[in-house]
Amino acid sequence: MNDFRYVNGRLHCAGVALDSIADAVGTPFYCYSHETLTRHYRAFHEGFRDVPHVIAFSVKALSNLSVLRLLGSMGCGADVVSGGELYRALEAGIPAERIVYSGVGKTRDELEYALRTGTLMFNVESSEELAALAEAAARLGVVAPVSLRVNPDVDPKTHKYIATGLRESKFGIAIDLARESYARAASMKSVRIVGVDCHIGSQLTDLAPIRDALSRLERLIGELRADGHAVTHLDIGGGLGISYDDEAPPHPTEYARAVLETVSHLNLTLVMEPGRVIVGNAGVLVTRLLYRKRQGDKRFLIVDAGMNDLIRPSLYDSFHEIRPVRETAAPRTVADVVGPVCESGDFLARDRAMADDLERGELLAVMSAGAYGFAMASNYNSRPRAAEVLVRDDRFAVVRRRETYEDLVGPERVEVDP
Ligand code: LLP
């Protein structure tokens, strides 16, 4: 579901025409819908209404401060995977007791930073990390709330780069070693066991692997409790997919039902880390058509956004619908929509039926770009990163200004050349 639709032949986000934003801020820009963000958060929250829960939005999906502030103001927490994300979440006013710290490679500085802020829990991914966390907590004279990220060895049936719950992935502690690791944690004075954590992958469109993982966790939690551990929290990770093309992922309510069926009898506080499902379809990337050309048998539409702005098509071969901002019913022929970056892997769409009447200077909207869009943008080819805009009703606000050339070189203005 999204709030991008044509009104009088112009693609709008809620009450604002995307071309009017382009006139004001230039291109490319990311545009997010306040209404969609709000609705998606509420849909998720509704599903889990009847059980104690913390929705910890996965900051990696879309880290803009204004978006975090909006979600935080509705009661949302944060799932962070770096000191930088923790800093953002706190800056956005999300209280530490609604922040969980995940990630396979937390540094000593990051552990100490999070311990000082008092985050809800650390999702620990290895015995060595557990030892490092215990040491850091002891140094600071605090007790670290811990859940171990368990790798349940299930196939989430998604792109191999974003499947995380298989035994051969770098994530988590193998489920058959989990009891041993919990016993070790229980023996550490500066660590307090609070829960179990699991995340099997992203863009999941099928409930079966989720159910499978949860029933393995349910069994484990029974064993841990029998071993005398006080497990009060279950973090089920994120991963619920969205529709980019013709996928039909479960609705958050169905997802919630499946989760609750398996684990509600355990009387836990549930933590979830949704990212994409909240923000994916709440955002688009608007880009301008620079040039058209034919080469060999191919038709190319060269636009001013590239793989540095949206890397998903290049990295995962992922599909993003591309809509002209000016509505057109012209016949369509196949084209590659490519960016200005000097790589053949720089494309937003390949072999895509695109209207024949697209003119130079026209705007195109790359749909479903709210998640892992701007968040994965880079300055490759020394391209300043795009502006980000948030639309609410018939108004819009620039929530991140476009970067300047000075932003590119500022950190390199050093005193001494070696
Ligand atoms: N929790 C953990 C521990 C994660 O690793 C992730 C995503 C999430 C939560 C949020 O997952 P979500 O609800 O957004 O699926 N860049 C890729 C996706 C990478 C996902 C990484 N981890 C993409 O563009 O598809």
Side-chain angles (χ1 to χ4, degrees):
M1 281 284 285
N2 67 59
D3 292 299
F4 297 92
R5 54 185 64 88
Y6 291 102
V7 181
N8 299 327
R10 295 154 79 197
L11 191 59
H12 281 58
C13 175
V16 183
L18 294 177
D19 54 88
S20 67
I21 304 178
D23 289 345
V25 307
T27 54
F29 66 90
Y30 276 90
C31 173
Y32 311 120
S33 157
H34 183 284
E35 193 180 334
T36 315
L37 292 168
T38 311
R39 192 178 57 244
H40 286 183
Y41 171 74
R42 289 201 179 122
F44 217 85
H45 181 63
E46 259 314 279
F48 292 97
R49 187 185 49 193
D50 296 333
V51 294
H53 69 273
V54 178
I55 299 178
F57 171 66
S58 199
V59 171
K60 65 174 84 64
L62 173 50
S63 335
N64 183 280
L65 275 186
S66 299
V67 171
L68 297 180
R69 215 173 286 125
L70 166 63
L71 293 173
S73 72
M74 292 188 288
C76 192
D79 156 49
V80 302
V81 293
S82 68
E85 287 190 352
L86 174 56
Y87 183 78
R88 281 181 177 277
L90 294 169
E91 275 289 301
I94 297 178
E97 59 273 16
R98 293 208 304 256
I99 300 178
V100 295
Y101 192 171
S102 309
V104 75
K106 309 174 188 80
T107 66
R108 175 178 156 150
D109 283 353
E110 288 176 320
L111 291 171
E112 289 188 357
Y113 174 33
L115 283 167
R116 281 201 200 91
T117 63
T119 47
L120 172 63
M121 65 190 190
F122 291 80
N123 291 332
V124 170
E125 303 220 14
S126 65
S127 319
E128 293 196 351
E129 183 196 333
L130 180 63
L133 176 62
E135 273 168 36
R139 260 194 316 273
L140 297 181
V142 296
V143 174
V146 159
S147 62
L148 299 187
R149 175 165 177 183
V150 172
N151 182 327
D153 194 24
V154 297
D155 182 355
K157 304 200 171 63
T158 185
H159 190 282
K160 65 177 182 203
Y161 287 3
I162 55 177
T164 52
L166 284 166
R167 190 190 298 277
E168 58 268 26
S169 89
K170 69 176 175 180
F171 296 101
I173 295 174
I175 193 155
D176 35 346
L177 301 176
R179 283 174 83 177
E180 222 173 89
S181 303
Y182 273 94
R184 200 165 321 119
S187 72
M188 295 171 160
K189 281 203 201 63
S190 54
V191 154
R192 177 170 52 90
I193 293 169
V194 291
V196 175
D197 167 49
C198 179
H199 171 83
I200 58 170
S202 193
Q203 184 54 12
L204 310 178
T205 51
D206 182 5
L207 284 176
I210 299 173
R211 281 210 177 88
D212 191 8
L214 285 172
S215 42
R216 290 177 200 207
L217 293 179
E218 180 206 11
R219 224 171 305 137
L220 173 67
I221 291 169
E223 290 166 5
L224 294 176
R225 284 180 167 168
D227 291 345
H229 304 300
V231 178
T232 54
H233 289 66
L234 170 61
D235 183 337
I236 60 173
L240 189 56
I242 63 169
S243 178
Y244 285 97
D245 187 8
D246 54 4
E247 305 92 329
H251 186 271
T253 324
E254 266 176 89
Y255 168 77
R257 207 175 305 127
V259 171
L260 295 177
E261 261 163 33
T262 328
V263 298
S264 64
H265 68 99
L266 295 171
N267 295 322
L268 295 152
T269 296
L270 286 181
V271 180
M272 32 259 162
E273 306 171 351
R276 190 188 318 260
V277 68
I278 308 272
V279 298
N281 280 322
V284 300
L285 169 63
V286 178
T287 181
R288 200 176 285 282
L289 178 54
L290 297 174
Y291 305 110
R292 300 162 298 174
K293 74 172 171 184
R294 290 189 180 275
Q295 197 123 282
D297 291 339
K298 294 205 75 126
R299 172 185 177 214
F300 288 102
L301 299 174
I302 302 163
V303 299
D304 68 358
M307 65 190 291
N308 72 296
D309 299 298
L310 179 66
I311 203 175
R312 303 193 70 258
S314 307
L315 189 57
Y316 315 110
D317 229 348
S318 48
F319 178 96
H320 287 263
E321 187 190 350
I322 299 185
R323 292 195 204 162
V325 169
R326 169 187 64 86
E327 195 170 22
T328 163
R332 300 196 276 176
T333 42
V334 165
D336 282 11
V337 181
V338 301
V341 170
C342 301
E343 302 225 15
S344 296
D346 175 34
F347 55 86
L348 297 174
R350 282 193 297 193
D351 299 325
R352 184 70 59 80
M354 297 293 297
D356 288 337
D357 65 345
L358 296 172
E359 301 285 347
R360 284 184 64 190
E362 285 219 45
L363 298 169
L364 299 175
V366 185
M367 308 304 292
S368 310
Y372 308 105
F374 188 90
M376 293 179 83
S378 77
N379 292 121
Y380 187 41
N381 277 202
S382 284
R383 290 167 49 78
R385 281 181 296 172
E388 291 175 288
V389 166
L390 182 60
V391 169
R392 180 175 192 176
D393 303 325
D394 57 358
R395 283 171 297 132
F396 76 90
V398 176
V399 292
R400 191 179 206 275
R401 64 164 173 81
R402 184 178 308 287
E403 287 179 348
T404 63
Y405 292 150
E406 183 52 32
D407 290 331
L408 295 178
V409 299
E412 293 161 38
R413 292 198 190 282
V414 290
E415 292 288 303
V416 204
D417 269 334

